[in-house]
Amino acid sequence: VTETLAEIEKKEPQVDAFLTIDEAGAQAAAAQVDAKPIATDNLLAGMPIGIKDNLLTDGVTTTAASKMLANFKPVFDATVVEKLKAKDAIMIGKNNLDEFAMGSSTETSAFKKTKNPWNLDKVPGGSSGGSAAAVAAGEVVASLGTDTGGSIRQPAAFNGIVGIKPTYGRVSRWGAIAFASSLDQVGVFSRTVADNATVLQAISGHDEKDSTSADIPVPDFRAALDGNIKGMKIAVAKEYMAEGVAPGVKAQIETAIDTLRSLGATVDEVSLPNSKYAVQIYYIIASSEASSNLSRFDGIRYGYRSPEAKTLEDVYVKSRSEGFGHEVKRRIMLGTFALSSGFYDAYFKKAGQVRTLVIRDFEKVFADYDLVVGPTTPTTAFDLGRKVTDPVTMYMNDILTIPANMAGLPAMSVPAGLVDGLPVGLQIIGKAFDEEAVYRVGYAFE
Ligand code: GLN
């Protein structure tokens, strides 16, 4: 922990991956671990971990990178944080993100811009950009993020590290500040697949506080890490290798596919024809759910209250107008519109129907295949400031990650080489609750 804090002090001025560093808390937790006998069967004991700042941490400021929650100190831990602490992992601090996890570059944070450690002029991706950059910069061994439309996998790809979004329901969302509840999942960043499996193991499992967490056994993920993928059936969706994917990225993924073949897997081309609608329906569904979830920030129960407010109406309107940033307001307006009585059938209902088609596409492919692979992102990390003023361009960046959220499937990004000095990610999508197959292939490949 001492070395981690020293490393953070050295690197933070360039990278800006943390919003809060809980030095005192981390030292105290480390002293407690030191006082116990060494637990040789617990790989997490003493492991320094970063936590995305939309996951509640007892007594430690949790902002969701919003002015709305700038001074919010939770009175309990998110289940994932509680589980890590129970394993004696050390929470080092809170990582920067796009405000309320809405974005793909971490630039919508109300507080700071995180830089990509590979090239400080590039974005770290988002929304979990701080969690990813902290691991890539060597500040922490692992970190937690959340993934609603790609927010773990895309930053993992941009930072050349491993990032998994588990199956919807594998990990409790209790204490994760809700963005879009039917899509949100907590997941793990790390430099290696083995570390990733170790941390996911600790945070997985049913939680009575989250009714959408699945009451099914959690397998031993590390047991899948034997390097053997002979006979596995892997599909490549032709829509994920189409135009729009940068030639350099495509070439790296083709090389990755050759590697998988040489390791003994069979790889065939398949079609996921409805994936092309995924971004459009995502922005209806996610924004609708966000507009409902964010109604709790009313200036009364949590966080920011406008000092100008004189009437009850003022408290709502002024607190929300001043407390939320542009992107969050855009989502609330989109969502409120899509849910309004005159437009509900045309937008929200229709989006739900198309979501079912996306799910069926995957079901068809998974009847014959173990996994789907492809690029995580169409390009490598882009320049800071380049897309943040152009929401549609920013939204299209998630075209390859959103389908797995729509279908609730586990998906991981693993490093697959460099293009012009910047990392490329190979995305591995599995069947529901089959993280083992995802890890098996990721481990054999890395
Ligand atoms: N970039 C997507 C968005 O802006 C996904 C974010 C996420 O997964 N939290 O909504």
Side-chain angles (χ1 to χ4, degrees):
V1 165
T2 307
E3 278 170 27
T4 294
L5 290 168
E7 205 59 24
I8 288 175
E9 195 170 303
K10 238 192 326 189
K11 292 184 174 153
E12 266 306 277
Q14 288 83 50
V15 178
D16 276 321
F18 283 89
L19 290 173
T20 301
I21 294 161
D22 185 19
E23 194 166 337
Q27 298 279 24
Q32 273 185 10
V33 177
D34 282 344
K36 292 185 190 175
I38 293 173
T40 47
D41 58 344
N42 178 12
L43 295 168
L44 287 173
M47 189 195 265
I49 289 184
I51 307 285
K52 187 177 183 181
D53 207 22
N54 62 350
L55 297 168
L56 302 190
T57 42
D58 190 4
V60 177
T61 308
T62 299
T63 67
S66 181
K67 189 177 167 191
M68 188 58 98
L69 291 175
N71 300 309
F72 175 60
K73 274 206 174 76
V75 292
F76 61 90
D77 279 323
T79 297
V80 288
V81 172
E82 190 180 277
K83 285 187 160 201
L84 286 178
K85 286 184 179 171
K87 281 280 191 186
D88 284 335
I90 314 283
M91 200 277 283
I92 291 287
K94 307 298 296 287
N95 293 116
N96 197 21
L97 65 151
D98 282 297
E99 186 177 2
F100 285 103
M102 297 171 183
S104 306
S105 65
T106 311
E107 292 167 291
T108 73
S109 167
F111 304 117
K112 55 166 73 162
K113 299 213 188 316
T114 300
K115 276 67 106 189
N116 189 316
W118 290 78
N119 177 337
L120 298 173
D121 297 325
K122 305 283 177 186
V123 299
S127 63
S128 316
S131 301
V135 171
E139 293 180 306
V140 283
V141 176
S143 59
L144 297 188
T146 60
D147 189 313
T148 305
S151 279
I152 291 175
R153 289 158 287 156
Q154 183 254 28
F158 282 7
N159 286 279
I161 59 171
V162 180
I164 195 165
K165 177 199 89 70
T167 311
Y168 184 83
R170 178 60 94 190
V171 176
S172 170
R173 292 182 295 112
W174 173 256
I177 296 174
F179 165 7
S181 308
S182 78
L183 301 161
D184 298 342
Q185 258 299 283
V186 181
V188 181
F189 292 99
S190 59
R191 283 192 289 279
T192 68
V193 172
D195 284 351
N196 205 282
T198 305
V199 178
L200 185 65
Q201 192 83 44
I203 63 169
S204 292
H206 178 62
D207 177 8
E208 62 182 21
K209 299 200 199 81
D210 172 6
S211 62
T212 65
S213 73
D215 197 359
I216 62 168
V218 181
D220 177 4
F221 297 134
R222 286 178 69 99
L225 311 183
D226 62 7
N228 182 7
I229 62 163
K230 284 206 181 69
M232 284 187 85
K233 297 189 71 188
I234 297 177
V236 177
K238 65 169 189 263
E239 292 81 4
Y240 291 21
M241 293 289 268
E243 47 174 305
V245 177
V249 171
K250 206 170 153 181
Q252 288 301 323
I253 299 305
E254 275 159 0
T255 308
I257 290 167
D258 289 342
T259 305
L260 295 175
R261 282 205 178 101
S262 71
L263 291 167
T266 58
V267 186
D268 301 323
E269 189 180 275
V270 298
S271 176
L272 293 167
N274 292 293
S275 280
K276 61 175 175 291
Y277 303 120
V279 174
Q280 286 90 326
I281 61 172
Y282 171 85
Y283 278 94
I284 294 169
I285 293 169
S287 303
S288 297
E289 294 185 21
S291 73
S292 169
N293 274 326
L294 269 55
S295 65
R296 74 191 60 177
F297 300 102
D298 55 6
I300 294 170
R301 285 173 292 181
Y302 307 91
Y304 183 77
R305 178 180 301 176
S306 170
E308 311 296 324
K310 296 206 171 53
T311 65
L312 180 62
E313 169 115 0
D314 267 7
V315 173
Y316 299 146
V317 175
K318 292 203 162 117
S319 302
R320 288 169 68 83
S321 302
E322 294 162 21
F324 289 135
H326 288 302
E327 186 59 31
V328 173
K329 286 180 189 159
R330 182 163 23 240
R331 308 284 176 111
I332 292 172
M333 287 168 70
L334 263 172
T336 310
F337 174 78
L339 291 176
S340 60
S341 60
F343 297 99
Y344 176 86
D345 284 343
Y347 292 103
F348 191 74
K349 190 171 164 208
K350 186 65 127 195
Q353 289 165 333
V354 178
R355 182 176 185 175
T356 302
L357 299 178
V358 173
I359 295 170
R360 288 202 187 133
D361 279 358
F362 278 113
E363 282 171 356
K364 261 187 228 148
V365 169
F366 281 129
D368 297 320
Y369 292 91
D370 300 310
L371 296 161
V372 175
V373 304
T376 306
T377 55
T379 66
T380 54
F382 45 88
D383 290 343
L384 277 155
R386 205 183 92 211
K387 294 191 183 176
V388 72
T389 51
D390 179 358
V392 174
T393 310
M394 188 72 95
Y395 296 174
M396 289 315 286
N397 181 75
D398 296 329
I399 190 158
L400 302 170
T401 46
I402 284 174
N405 299 82
M406 286 296 155
L409 303 172
M412 177 165 79
S413 184
V414 291
L418 303 176
V419 176
D420 297 331
L422 289 171
V424 171
L426 173 72
Q427 183 175 213
I428 306 170
I429 306 173
K431 295 177 188 168
F433 297 104
D434 195 6
E435 284 83 6
E436 286 167 289
V438 174
Y439 277 139
R440 176 176 291 281
V441 167
Y443 182 81
F445 175 75
E446 82 177 346

